Amino acid sequence: MTAISVAERGSVLEKIKAVVGPKGWTTDPHDIEPHLTEPRGLYRGATPIVVSPASTEEVAAVVRLCAAARQPIVPQGGNTGLVGAQVPWEDGGSIVLSLARMNRIRAIDPLNYTITVEAGIILADVQKAAEVVDRLFPLSLGAEGSCRIGGNLSTNAGGVAVLRYGNARDLALGLEVVLPDGQVWNGLRGLRKDNTGYDLKQLFIGGEGTLGIITAAVLKLFPRPREVETAFIALAKVEDVMEVFARARAASGDQLTAFELIPRIGVEMTTRHLHALTDPIAEKHPWYVLLEVSSSQTSGGLRTMLENFLAAQMEAGLVVDGVIAASAAQAAELWRIRDGMTEAQGYAASAAQAAELWRIRDGMTEAQGYEGGSIKHDVAVPVSRVADFIIEACEAVARAIPGIRPVPFGHVGDGNIHFNLSQPVGADRATYLARWEEMNRIVHDIVAARNGSISAEHGIGRMKVEELTHYKAKVELDLMRKIKTALDPNDIMNPGKVITIGPATSP
Ligand code: FAD
Ligand code: MLT
Ligand code: ZN
């Protein structure tokens, strides 16, 4: 992948160690291991060193050394990404630069409704810090206990509250970035309005570490909700889901925070594999929606609104059953079903579990593999096309692999469906996963026919580089390459991920 010689690499690594000091690097294979695999255990890379700078100045000094030596760098946050972007290539030519030690809150300004944090802070810690000053940081996803803000911004993470608050891009006011030549761009402005030329931060948000390293960010805060109501409702037909969504938006006066689809098979998988989780509704139904409404007022009207809404939809025959959480603890149990979807399908919730999945992939045991192989699609279609997409895609994949178990779930209020496909019961995991690209093509063609996206929120990483070139217009790909070449002409920032800029540097 890289033209750097062994001697040159040895020299640059020694200089990097000196910059970050003894606490800032490791070459111990045991310590490096968790940085080499990713949540599904699909990729396993190699690296000579994991470098963990403690400050922006240290990041910049490391990058300057790498730029001079043309040493590739893979930035890493919480290593929860689902497209392999944060994993080094197998050739061991890249260093991993972890932001984990840069986890401080630099400032919090409740009056400006902003918080300024370093890139390595864990998402849940930002949420907690906001709560301390009676504010809300609304970004919320299943991995929030381990993903880090730099990773969230670099993937433009979505999650379960996009409906109300937008995705990571909408939540960032300013960034501090170390550029591929080692310069520091301080764009840490906490302004709602700033039309002074190109909005440069947007290049790095969703850039998946290919254009620079985010070291800090100014994030938006919101009034903290005082009232939150959560319902788990059952539907007889997927065709009814988006009608219920449209009605919920109208009835709640834009207080709808989450609208998450869960198929029957999803409830079965989570209740089967997650500890002490039970089916919230006695009868079995084909589809469910986890719905949340919230308000920063304390008028007490939300519950009545939700009860009236559900009664009306039951009367209309759109909703067939449902429960409204009676307490915060019950609401958390309902959310556990939704948040457990990823793990129950056979993904890992931690690096340790990923290592276990890797062991399973190597054929040692299937016992811990939950539902076996899962072929993943993170797609978006216009909200009005969600149901017909699901129906057509389920039929198409069943024709290709009889017995395949589609698990379409997720953020349908944003038009984002995680169209995951679990292997047929009893199938061989490796043989099934070998059909990944074939299934991608079937599903993504159906998405493209609806003017949709092949990556709604997880990014491109290494997983979808080929798919991107297949589905994106040449003019867009050319623009992306021009931007990458302009900022990172030597292709040292996460090379080979998202977009490749030439055979000489492609892995
Ligand atoms: P990493 O995985 O470490 O890195 C991701 C990318 O960002 C890589 O390209 C990496 O090089 C780059 N990067 C990391 N830090 C920096 C930095 N400081 N500067 C520049 N580049 C950097 N995603 C969603 O969008 N919505 C969900 O609902 C969701 N739910 C999930 C649930 C589970 C259980 C799991 C395991 C994952 C889920 N994800 C979801 C995917 C993942 O959590 C997100 O993509 C998250 O934003 C990644 O953050 P991270 O810190 O783990 O980044
Ligand atoms: C989710 O919404 O749970 C995630 O994006 C993870 C997944 O797609 O499996
Ligand atoms: Zn998601």
Side-chain angles (χ1 to χ4, degrees), residues 209-292:
T210 60
L211 299 178
I213 300 176
I214 297 173
T215 46
V218 185
L219 305 170
K220 281 186 199 167
L221 301 179
F222 293 81
R224 198 159 67 81
R226 310 282 166 195
E227 223 187 320
V228 180
E229 295 292 345
T230 311
F232 194 85
I233 60 177
L235 292 87
K237 310 194 293 293
V238 73
E239 290 91 332
D240 293 340
V241 171
M242 302 323 286
E243 180 59 34
V244 174
F245 170 65
R247 291 179 181 208
R249 279 194 76 180
S252 68
D254 261 350
Q255 288 171 320
L256 192 60
T257 322
F259 192 89
E260 298 282 317
L261 180 70
I262 304 171
R264 176 68 209 160
I265 191 173
V267 172
E268 283 166 9
M269 287 177 171
T270 47
T271 50
R272 190 151 56 225
H273 300 299
L274 269 66
H275 180 66
L277 200 58
T278 50
D279 199 332
I281 297 178
E283 299 283 315
K284 293 179 183 171
H285 301 281
W287 297 96
Y288 304 89
V289 167
L290 181 56
L291 173 161
E292 187 187 274

Side-chain angles (χ1 to χ4, degrees), residues 82-151:
L82 293 174
V83 287
Q86 73 280 15
V87 175
W89 292 99
E90 290 80 347
D91 69 358
S94 312
I95 67 162
V96 171
L97 191 146
S98 165
L99 279 298
R101 287 176 74 214
M102 291 188 59
N103 60 359
R104 289 180 313 128
I105 294 169
R106 288 196 188 162
I108 188 155
D109 185 347
L111 205 55
N112 196 38
Y113 277 77
T114 52
I115 184 168
T116 306
V117 296
E118 290 184 341
I121 189 166
I122 287 179
L123 170 55
D125 292 338
V126 183
Q127 295 167 344
K128 281 181 214 147
E131 211 176 313
V132 169
V133 294
D134 201 26
R135 298 287 183 263
L136 171 77
F137 181 61
L139 188 67
S140 174
L141 41 136
E144 64 197 22
S146 38
C147 59
R148 297 173 189 271
I149 284 297

